Coordinates of all heavy atoms in Angstrom, one line a residue:
F209 N 60.2 10.9 47.5 CA 59.0 11.5 47.6 C 59.2 13.0 47.8 O 60.0 13.4 48.7 CB 58.1 11.0 48.7 CG 56.8 11.6 48.9 CD1 55.8 11.3 48.1 CD2 56.6 12.6 49.9 CE1 54.6 12.0 48.2 CE2 55.4 13.2 50.0 CZ 54.3 12.9 49.2
T210 N 58.6 13.8 47.1 CA 58.8 15.3 47.1 C 57.5 16.1 47.2 O 56.5 15.6 46.6 CB 59.7 15.8 45.9 OG1 59.0 15.5 44.7 CG2 61.0 15.2 45.9
I211 N 57.5 17.2 47.9 CA 56.4 18.1 47.9 C 56.8 19.5 47.7 O 57.8 20.0 48.2 CB 55.7 18.0 49.4 CG1 55.3 16.7 49.7 CG2 54.6 19.0 49.5 CD1 54.6 16.5 51.1
Q213 N 55.3 23.2 48.3 CA 54.2 23.8 49.0 C 54.0 25.3 48.7 O 55.0 26.0 48.3 CB 54.6 23.7 50.6 CG 54.6 22.3 51.0 CD 54.9 22.2 52.6 OE1 55.8 22.9 53.0 NE2 54.2 21.4 53.3
M275 N 63.1 18.7 59.4 CA 62.0 19.1 60.3 C 62.1 20.6 60.6 O 61.5 21.0 61.7 CB 62.1 18.3 61.7 CG 62.0 16.8 61.5 SD 60.6 16.3 60.3 CE 59.2 16.9 61.2
S301 N 55.5 22.4 64.2 CA 55.3 21.0 63.7 C 55.1 20.1 64.9 O 54.9 20.5 66.1 CB 56.5 20.6 62.9 OG 57.7 20.5 63.8
F302 N 55.1 18.8 64.6 CA 54.9 17.9 65.8 C 56.1 17.9 66.7 O 56.1 17.4 67.8 CB 54.6 16.5 65.3 CG 55.8 15.7 64.7 CD1 56.5 14.9 65.5 CD2 56.1 15.9 63.4 CE1 57.6 14.2 64.9 CE2 57.1 15.2 62.8 CZ 57.9 14.3 63.6
P322 N 51.5 25.2 55.9 CA 51.6 25.4 54.4 C 50.7 24.3 53.7 O 50.7 23.1 54.1 CB 53.1 25.2 54.1 CG 53.7 25.3 55.4 CD 52.8 25.0 56.4
P324 N 50.0 22.0 50.4 CA 50.8 21.4 49.2 C 50.3 22.0 47.9 O 49.1 22.0 47.6 CB 50.5 19.9 49.3 CG 49.2 19.8 50.0 CD 49.1 21.0 51.0
Y327 N 52.6 17.2 44.9 CA 53.5 16.3 45.5 C 53.6 15.1 44.5 O 52.6 14.7 43.8 CB 53.0 15.8 46.9 CG 51.5 15.4 47.0 CD1 51.1 14.2 47.0 CD2 50.6 16.5 47.3 CE1 49.8 13.9 47.1 CE2 49.3 16.2 47.5 CZ 48.8 14.9 47.4 OH 47.5 14.5 47.5
Y363 N 50.0 11.2 51.6 CA 51.3 11.1 52.2 C 51.1 11.3 53.7 O 50.0 11.4 54.1 CB 52.3 12.2 51.6 CG 51.8 13.6 51.8 CD1 52.2 14.3 52.9 CD2 50.9 14.2 50.9 CE1 51.7 15.7 53.1 CE2 50.4 15.4 51.1 CZ 50.8 16.2 52.2 OH 50.4 17.5 52.3
D364 N 52.2 11.3 54.4 CA 52.1 11.5 55.9 C 52.0 13.0 56.2 O 52.9 13.7 56.2 CB 53.3 10.9 56.6 CG 53.3 11.0 58.1 OD1 52.3 11.5 58.6 OD2 54.1 10.4 58.8
E365 N 50.6 13.5 56.3 CA 50.4 14.8 56.5 C 51.0 15.4 57.8 O 51.3 16.6 57.9 CB 48.9 15.1 56.5 CG 48.3 14.8 55.1 CD 46.9 15.0 55.0 OE1 46.3 15.6 56.0 OE2 46.2 14.7 53.9
R366 N 51.2 14.5 58.8 CA 51.8 15.0 60.0 C 53.2 15.4 59.8 O 53.7 16.4 60.5 CB 51.7 13.9 61.1 CG 52.1 14.2 62.5 CD 51.8 13.1 63.4 NE 52.7 12.0 63.2 CZ 53.8 11.7 63.9 NH1 54.1 12.4 64.9 NH2 54.5 10.7 63.6
M367 N 53.9 14.8 58.9 CA 55.3 15.2 58.7 C 55.4 16.2 57.6 O 56.5 16.8 57.4 CB 56.1 13.9 58.2 CG 56.2 12.7 59.2 SD 57.3 13.1 60.5 CE 58.8 13.0 59.6
G368 N 54.3 16.5 56.9 CA 54.3 17.5 55.9 C 55.4 17.2 54.8 O 55.5 16.2 54.3
K369 N 56.2 18.4 54.5 CA 57.1 18.2 53.3 C 58.2 17.3 53.7 O 59.0 17.0 52.8 CB 57.6 19.6 53.0 CG 58.5 20.3 54.0 CD 59.0 21.6 53.5 CE 59.9 22.3 54.5 NZ 60.4 23.6 54.0
W370 N 58.4 16.9 55.0 CA 59.4 16.0 55.3 C 58.9 14.5 55.4 O 59.6 13.6 55.8 CB 60.0 16.4 56.8 CG 60.5 17.7 56.8 CD1 59.9 18.8 57.5 CD2 61.7 18.3 56.2 NE1 60.7 19.9 57.3 CE2 61.7 19.6 56.5 CE3 62.6 17.7 55.4 CZ2 62.8 20.5 56.1 CZ3 63.6 18.5 55.0 CH2 63.7 19.8 55.3
S371 N 57.8 14.3 54.8 CA 57.2 13.0 54.7 C 58.1 12.1 53.9 O 58.5 12.5 52.8 CB 55.8 13.0 54.2 OG 55.4 11.7 54.0
E372 N 58.4 10.9 54.4 CA 59.1 9.9 53.6 C 58.1 8.7 53.2 O 58.5 7.7 52.6 CB 60.3 9.3 54.4 CG 61.3 10.3 54.6 CD 62.5 9.6 55.4 OE1 62.3 8.5 55.9 OE2 63.6 10.3 55.4
L373 N 56.9 8.9 53.5 CA 55.8 7.9 53.3 C 54.9 8.4 52.1 O 54.5 9.5 52.1 CB 54.9 7.7 54.5 CG 53.7 6.8 54.3 CD1 54.1 5.4 54.1 CD2 52.7 6.9 55.5

Side-chain angles (χ1 to χ4, degrees):
F209 180 76
T210 57
I211 299 181
Q213 294 179 318
M275 302 311 301
S301 67
F302 74 95
Y327 49 93
Y363 58 96
D364 187 351
E365 296 182 5
R366 189 173 68 102
M367 296 287 289
K369 67 178 180 180
W370 302 109
S371 173
E372 294 182 346
L373 171 72

